Amino acid sequence: MVAHMAHHGESTPLNDGNGEVSPSDLKGDSAGSSHSSTDNTSTEESSEEEEAREEEEERESDSDSRPAAEQPAAEPLQSCCEKCRALTNPKFELVTPRKLSRDRLQLQLESEGAYECSDTGLVFEVSQRVKVTYCVLSWSKFSTYLTGSWKFAGPIFDVDCDPSILKSVQFPHSLCLADKHNEVKFGVLHVKNSRGQIEPSADHSGSHVKWSVSSLSPVGPIVQTSKSAEHHGVVQVFKEVGQENSFSFRVYLAGNNCSDIKDIRRAVRRANNCKNNKKYIQVDKPPTCMLEENRKYRLISEPMGHITPEDMLFSPVIVEVKGYFEVFFEESPPFKLSLTDADSGHTVWTATIREGDCVHHVVENPRKPSKGRKRHSSTSEEELCHKNSKKARGIDEADCQVTAVSPDLTDQQLMQVAKRMGREWKVVAISCLGLSKQDLEEMEAAEESVTMLKFNMLERWRRRQLKGKAGVQDLHRCFKDNDDVPNEVIAVLDEMLQNNVTT
């Protein structure tokens, strides 16, 4: 059972903003929970449409290699705060989740008890054996649900589990509670039917906010404080690559939580997908520091570089609003970067970027055995890779003089893919396969079996392709680099591609 959590800071009746909030123009971001209340239907539909648009933006510029910044999941980083380490926090059985896709995780909990996810810090208290699926979300879609002095205090998640078995969820928060003079009141934002309900927390500790499960849909910890709070923060550095002898960097500040780290990763991915040929890769440096709300920070460097803006205000708002420091050096490394309090000059973070940090090799993504869609430009390297990929498919150079026709996917192959598709299939239909909401409605009206609906989705896509353009490679190309496509789907397509090569 869950150990009792010690309180740090008075839980005072700070008011304003309690109850239901309904921003008129905001859409939800639910992953679509099979155990969620039926009130979440409109939230799920609007989420699918929005995610589809985002995924389309991210796939506009396909690349065979991804910067390292895109590889890891959005996991919280180990805090450097000695004050919080001195606080007594409950310990739980640590369990490692199965990764269904980039941000979607799953735990199989074998018996009653409290379990902590090793990737996200989430703690699940369950009454019996159960499977829990969860996905880290972005506060960018939910921050306007907060009114008054409420502000988000940690990551927001969509959790899918039987709510009669899942008794409570404990969310990691990024606040430093060592200041006993700062009165805090934690709550939880629970998004249902495109409306935000602020619910009370059951308890809190120096690291987590506990919430008693009522129903399941997007939910995350929020807080009110009597004065500006200190946060466990992160500083993440990304270097522009691809330009010889160019030393340009982006430096992001954020709270140390999954949602903020996911937003940074998404911002970098979008920058990499812009049609300006700029690519960024993360420079691995000690990232954690302490950042105080509503305080300005200044980035300085040795030797002196060109840094804009001069100062940045840290506040609990989404990454897109805070932005980033842009740093450019005319000299060669090493470079020393320091983040300082703009008023006092106190240094809160420092790192040295050496010559080895500025040498980056393009790492081929092992998930992609072939080239992507059309390129915006053509280079000799691309032409060489194009020839290699043709050889991998058993195509001679002479074959390039005519249009090669590959066999379309069979019904049996489509069924193999359909069986491995998860409950995100509607998002995949719109964002990857180009189907419309009307297509989905027509299919659902004619078929009740979920597996057959997924098959019909794939079959409708196949029907709309030109002859020879609905093969394994074509479907693989549609699915790659999409967060919502399960790893199992990519794996079965990889296997089909490999079988095509060997035969």
Side-chain angles (χ1 to χ4, degrees), residues 55 58 66-75 99 101-105 135-138 236 238 250 252 254 257-273 280 282 319-320 482-484:
E55 293 297 341
E58 293 172 5
R66 294 190 298 179
E70 299 183 45
Q71 304 291 351
E75 300 174 11
K99 295 186 179 181
S101 61
R102 181 180 287 154
D103 292 311
R104 194 183 303 278
L105 306 172
C135 177
V136 60
L137 305 177
S138 168
Q236 296 202 329
F238 297 85
R250 285 186 176 192
Y252 288 86
N257 69 73
C258 298
S259 292
D260 274 4
I261 294 172
K262 173 177 178 174
D263 283 347
I264 292 175
R265 189 186 67 192
R266 177 176 291 179
V268 173
R269 186 163 63 243
R270 286 182 174 175
N272 288 340
N273 286 336
Y280 295 88
Q282 187 168 2
V319 170
E320 288 95 328
N482 191 296
D483 293 0
D484 291 299

Side-chain angles (χ1 to χ4, degrees), residues 62-65 364 368-375 381-390 393 473 476-477 480:
D62 254 340
S63 172
D64 292 284
S65 303
E364 186 174 346
K368 304 174 190 176
S370 60
K371 294 299 290 179
R373 294 193 297 267
K374 63 180 181 180
R375 295 287 184 143
E381 181 182 357
E382 287 174 329
E383 290 169 359
L384 177 61
C385 293
H386 182 58
K387 291 178 181 179
N388 290 338
S389 67
K390 285 190 296 182
R393 298 193 304 269
Q473 177 125 356
H476 190 286
R477 189 178 298 127
K480 68 179 182 179

Side-chain angles (χ1 to χ4, degrees), residues 1 42 71 92 131 146 151 172-173 179 186 193 204 213 252 264-265 288 301 323 353 359 370 372 399 461 497:
M1 299 299 290
S42 59
Q71 304 291 351
F92 307 97
K131 186 179 293 184
L146 301 180
K151 50 203 172 187
H173 66 77
D179 182 1
F186 282 104
N193 196 25
H204 72 269
V213 173
Y252 288 86
I264 292 175
R265 189 186 67 192
T288 55
S301 66
I353 299 175
V359 178
S370 60
D399 294 333
W461 166 83
L497 281 170

Side-chain angles (χ1 to χ4, degrees), residues 91-216:
K91 301 295 182 181
F92 307 97
E93 182 178 344
L94 205 62
V95 286
T96 302
R98 174 190 179 199
K99 295 186 179 181
L100 302 181
S101 61
R102 181 180 287 154
D103 292 311
R104 194 183 303 278
L105 306 172
Q106 187 178 82
L107 283 174
Q108 176 66 61
L109 305 179
E110 296 301 331
S111 60
E112 178 182 6
Y115 304 85
E116 181 175 352
C117 169
S118 61
D119 280 20
T120 64
L122 277 175
V123 177
F124 301 104
E125 181 188 9
V126 299
S127 59
Q128 63 184 64
R129 186 177 189 273
V130 73
K131 186 179 293 184
V132 185
T133 304
Y134 46 105
C135 177
V136 60
L137 305 177
S138 168
W139 275 109
S140 62
K141 299 181 178 67
F142 302 103
S143 58
T144 54
Y145 283 115
L146 301 180
T147 61
S149 58
W150 285 106
K151 50 203 172 187
F152 51 83
I156 184 168
F157 290 89
D158 192 15
V159 180
D160 180 23
C161 182
D162 186 340
S164 66
I165 298 176
L166 182 60
K167 298 166 64 177
S168 70
V169 179
Q170 295 179 37
F171 302 91
H173 66 77
S174 61
L175 269 71
C176 177
L177 300 184
D179 182 1
K180 296 183 179 180
H181 298 292
N182 192 3
E183 300 171 346
V184 299
K185 178 183 179 180
F186 282 104
V188 168
L189 177 67
H190 190 188
V191 181
K192 297 184 289 187
N193 196 25
S194 295
R195 302 179 73 86
Q197 181 73 33
I198 295 176
E199 300 180 1
S201 62
D203 205 347
H204 72 269
S205 70
S207 58
H208 285 77
V209 178
K210 182 179 179 180
W211 173 65
S212 297
V213 173
S214 53
S215 61
L216 291 172

